[in-house]
């Protein structure tokens, strides 16, 4: 979920960038960042790749991890690391050597060296999967050859001629036994059928896993904040100054904004007619909270630098350092029982308020800096 919201947040800033230019790109530390309406990656020698836009096209191989967000996503280059993608249509025409986590309406993938985690409406799975496959969709066309276990929740399941499963197959069905499985694909002793309501989430992580997740979260927040600072430095600086100069004003406005969005979702739900739009409003509220947290964490890091007598950051390296300081400090404070959660919530609302001031500029806050 964190990855999905992160991608939605990146898409939000891609929209802000595309209002000025069609495409913005940044190459830093061997990684590539592209944002805009229609973005294309065709540069060699890239490690990690970040792309967000209406249409996203990757033509070149990368040696690291890929992060994609857009309406239409097509990757023609080989990804040697992991892939995280969210969009309406997602197509991978070549190999993913690591794990793949994909969410979209229509998803088509080929060879995957690691584990596959995919959710969507229409799923077309081909090629070899080196690890396990965790699949949730309405119509699933399964023509993959999976070396590990497979877990499927689907309304309609179509088996391809070359499909094979070496591990255990678990099917989550409305009525257990409704989905047919060819005997040649998996014998009955390797098939488990369960009620759809029994779909299980991930197991509780270990202490080391929790620590790794915490550090990964800090790195992700700091990285996105540094990316935004590189793509739209003036806009982020304006929001940061608002937060540091008038924290309680931005906190109050953030509370009003988030309350309005959540209240809108509730009203849409009780009208029945607008019930289908309620999930979209919920995603907007969650994405807004993440965006607010990243902006406020960056402002917090700059504030800490200023408190120790450092000047305002005026280079990409200093902005990245401030982002890291803010993300780490906010993350550590967030570990404090109860009070930490209050701090994180206030931080996110403060950032939402700053974004609202920058985008909407409500008249009752017209005396902003």
């Amino acid at each position: 979920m964190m990855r999905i919201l992160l991608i939605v947040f990146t898409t939000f800033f891609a929209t802000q960038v595309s209002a000025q230019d069609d495409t913005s790109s940044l190459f830093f530390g061997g990684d590539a960042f592209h944002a805009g309406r229609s973005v294309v990656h065709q540069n060699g020698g890239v490690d990690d790749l970040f792309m967000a836009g209406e249409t996203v096209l990757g033509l070149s191989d990368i040696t690291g991890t890929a992060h994609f967000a857009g309406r239409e996503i097509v990757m023609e280059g080989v990804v040697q690391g992991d892939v995280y993608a969210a969009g309406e249509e997602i197509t991978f025409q070549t190999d993913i050597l690591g794990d793949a986590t994909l969410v979209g309406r229509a998803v088509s993938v080929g060879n995957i060296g690691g584990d596959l985690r995919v959710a969507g409406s229409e799923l077309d799975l081909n090629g070899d999967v080196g690890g396990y496959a965790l699949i949730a969709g309405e119509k699933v066309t399964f023509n993959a050859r999976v070396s590990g276990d497979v877990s499927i929740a689907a309304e309609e399941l179509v088996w391809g001629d070359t499909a094979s499963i070496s591990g255990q197959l678990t099917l989550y069905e409305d009525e257990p036994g409704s989905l047919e499985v060819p005997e040649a694909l998996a014998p009955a002793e390797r098939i488990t059928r369960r009620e759809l309501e029994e779909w299980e989430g991930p197991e509780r992580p270990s202490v080391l896993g929790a620590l790794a997740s915490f550090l990964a979260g800090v790195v992700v927040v700091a990285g996105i904040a540094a990316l935004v600072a590189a793509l739209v430095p003036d806009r982020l600086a304006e929001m940061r100054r608002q937060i540091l100069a008038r924290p309680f004003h931005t906190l109050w406005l953030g509370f009003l904004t988030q309350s309005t969005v959540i209240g809108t979702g509730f009203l849409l739900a009780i009208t029945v007619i607008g019930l289908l739009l309620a999930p979209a409003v919920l995603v907007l509220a969650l994405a807004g909270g993440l965006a607010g947290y990243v902006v406020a964490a960056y402002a917090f890091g700059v504030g800490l630098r200023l408190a120790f007598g450092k000047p305002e950051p005026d280079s990409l390296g200093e902005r990245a350092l401030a982002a890291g300081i803010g993300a780490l400090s906010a993350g550590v404070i967030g570990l404090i029982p109860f009070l930490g959660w209050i701090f994180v919530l206030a931080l996110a609302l403060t950032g939402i308020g700053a974004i609202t001031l920058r985008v909407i500029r409500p008249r009752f806050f017209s005396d902003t800096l």
Side-chain angles (χ1 to χ4, degrees):
M1 187 64 177
M2 178 66 177
R3 292 279 184 174
I4 303 300
L5 291 175
L6 178 60
I7 291 172
V8 173
F9 169 54
T10 306
T11 305
F12 166 78
F13 275 101
T15 304
Q16 298 296 311
V17 172
S18 64
Q20 307 175 85
D21 303 302
D22 183 59
T23 303
S24 291
S25 298
L26 170 68
F27 298 91
F28 182 76
D31 298 339
F33 305 83
H34 304 286
R37 295 188 182 278
S38 180
V39 292
V40 179
H41 172 72
Q42 51 188 352
N43 302 89
V46 169
D47 186 23
D48 295 338
L49 176 62
F50 298 79
M51 300 180 71
E54 182 180 359
T55 60
V56 173
L57 174 61
L59 299 176
S60 301
D61 300 346
I62 66 169
T63 60
T65 301
H67 304 77
F68 298 130
R71 181 184 61 80
E72 181 180 2
I73 300 170
V74 177
M75 183 62 181
E76 298 181 2
V78 175
V79 179
Q80 296 188 18
D82 300 334
V83 170
Y84 301 90
E88 182 181 0
E89 298 181 9
I90 302 174
T91 303
F92 282 85
Q93 300 180 355
T94 52
D95 299 345
I96 300 171
L97 303 188
D99 299 335
T101 303
L102 313 171
V103 178
R105 182 191 61 80
V107 180
S108 176
V109 295
N111 294 329
I112 297 174
D115 302 322
L116 170 63
R117 298 174 287 266
V118 58
S121 178
E122 301 176 7
L123 307 180
D124 188 9
L125 313 178
N126 299 282
D128 299 326
V129 178
Y132 67 77
L134 185 62
I135 304 162
E138 294 182 358
K139 180 180 179 180
V140 177
T141 301
F142 191 102
N143 201 30
R145 297 169 294 277
V146 183
S147 300
D149 296 336
V150 175
S151 181
I152 303 177
E155 295 182 6
E156 181 181 353
L157 182 56
V158 179
W159 300 103
D161 294 336
T162 61
S164 65
I165 299 173
S166 300
Q168 183 75 20
L169 171 61
T170 303
L171 296 174
Y172 292 85
E173 309 165 84
D174 289 328
E175 297 181 6
S178 60
L179 296 177
E180 297 183 359
V181 181
E183 179 66 24
L185 179 68
E189 59 269 19
R190 285 201 288 115
I191 301 176
T192 302
R193 297 179 182 270
R194 297 181 179 176
E195 295 279 354
L196 188 60
E197 291 75 12
E198 298 180 31
W199 179 268
E200 298 178 352
E203 298 179 357
R204 181 175 298 177
S206 62
V207 174
L208 290 178
L211 178 59
S213 297
F214 169 77
L215 293 177
V218 170
V219 171
V220 166
V221 172
I224 293 299
L227 171 61
V228 175
L231 294 176
V232 284
D234 295 337
R235 295 186 180 190
L236 185 60
E238 180 182 344
M239 291 187 285
R240 181 254 299 170
R241 294 189 183 101
Q242 279 287 351
I243 292 174
L244 296 180
R246 311 180 69 186
F248 293 105
H249 283 77
T250 50
L251 172 61
W252 174 241
L253 182 56
F255 175 79
L256 292 178
T257 302
Q258 194 73 332
S259 298
T260 300
V261 174
I262 295 174
T264 299
F266 176 75
L267 290 176
L268 286 172
I270 64 176
T271 62
V272 180
I273 297 176
L275 188 61
L276 295 176
L277 296 177
V281 175
L282 176 60
V283 171
L284 177 62
L286 293 173
L290 178 60
Y293 180 78
V294 172
V295 169
Y298 173 74
F300 187 45
V302 174
L304 291 175
R305 280 175 50 91
L306 295 176
F308 284 92
K310 299 291 185 180
E312 290 190 356
D314 59 0
S315 67
L316 179 58
E318 291 180 350
R319 296 187 186 105
L321 179 60
I325 293 173
L328 180 59
S329 302
V332 171
I333 295 175
L335 296 177
I336 301 174
F338 184 70
L339 293 179
W341 163 244
I342 297 298
F343 174 80
V344 170
L345 178 61
L347 202 66
L349 292 176
T350 301
I352 292 173
I355 294 173
T356 302
L357 284 170
R358 178 63 186 82
V359 176
I360 302 177
R361 298 186 182 275
R363 295 189 63 183
F364 52 89
F365 277 89
S366 60
D367 58 336
T368 57
L369 295 179

